[in-house]
Structures are given as structure tokens and as C-alpha cells.
Amino acid sequence: MPVRYTFSGNLFRINLEGSHTPEDIIETFNAALDDPLLPSDARFLLDVRRFADMPIHYGLSRMGATVAEMRGADIEVFTSMDDAKSWLGVVAEESIE
């Protein structure tokens, strides 16, 4: 499945792989928000490592984050999973690599 979500500790992670549409991402995000297992202190991570491994995708992600920040979101883009987990303050029950 190209878009899926998982919970681990307080980490709410959406993984993107292969072909998908923006609607697929929104549908998966909304399904996760409706899931009764969603942690109340969840930290959100959009993992695009298996989808966007080209430098241009990093730049486009930064541009998207800037637009979201102008609307009040607290967003950061990372190339390191350890850095992302640290910034999020994630307490994972298992490895999320």
C-alpha cells in the first residue's frame, strides 16, 4: 500500500511509498485521526524516505513547510530519522527505522 499509518508510543507516522495521490495522503491522515488507538500526546511524522530520495524533494518539502508555518503550523524537514525523532520528542515503543 503506498500510504499507510502506524502508531508507536507517542509517534503517529504516515509512510509514503510508490505511487499515491494527495487524496490518498489526506484519506490516510483522516483515518488515523479517527482511529481510537491514536495516542492523545501523538507527535506526527510524515516519512517520505521510500518515496522522495532526490534532493529536489527535500527542497520542495522545505517550501511546503514554509507555507504551512505561515499558517501557524510548527513544521521541520529532516534528512535524518534520529534528528526528526529528537525534534518531535518521540517516545517510541519499538524501533521506527
Side-chain angles (χ1 to χ4, degrees), residues 15-64:
N15 297 294
L16 303 182
E17 297 181 29
S19 298
H20 56 274
T21 66
E23 291 79 17
D24 294 332
I25 299 168
I26 293 167
E27 181 179 305
T28 302
F29 183 79
N30 287 331
L33 292 179
D34 290 337
D35 190 320
L37 298 177
L38 176 70
S40 61
D41 62 343
R43 304 291 190 264
F44 177 68
L45 174 70
L46 179 63
D47 187 348
V48 298
R49 293 177 298 161
R50 292 186 180 103
F51 167 70
D53 60 353
M54 296 172 46
I56 191 166
H57 292 132
Y58 176 82
L60 291 171
S61 297
R62 282 297 316 134
M63 288 172 49

Side-chain angles (χ1 to χ4, degrees), residues 79-95:
T79 57
S80 159
M81 182 59 76
D82 287 338
D83 290 345
K85 290 188 302 186
S86 177
W87 186 79
L88 288 168
V90 168
V91 179
E93 294 175 353
E94 57 194 52
S95 172

Side-chain angles (χ1 to χ4, degrees), residues 62-73:
R62 282 297 316 134
M63 288 172 49
T66 299
V67 170
E69 288 166 355
M70 292 186 325
R71 302 182 122 228

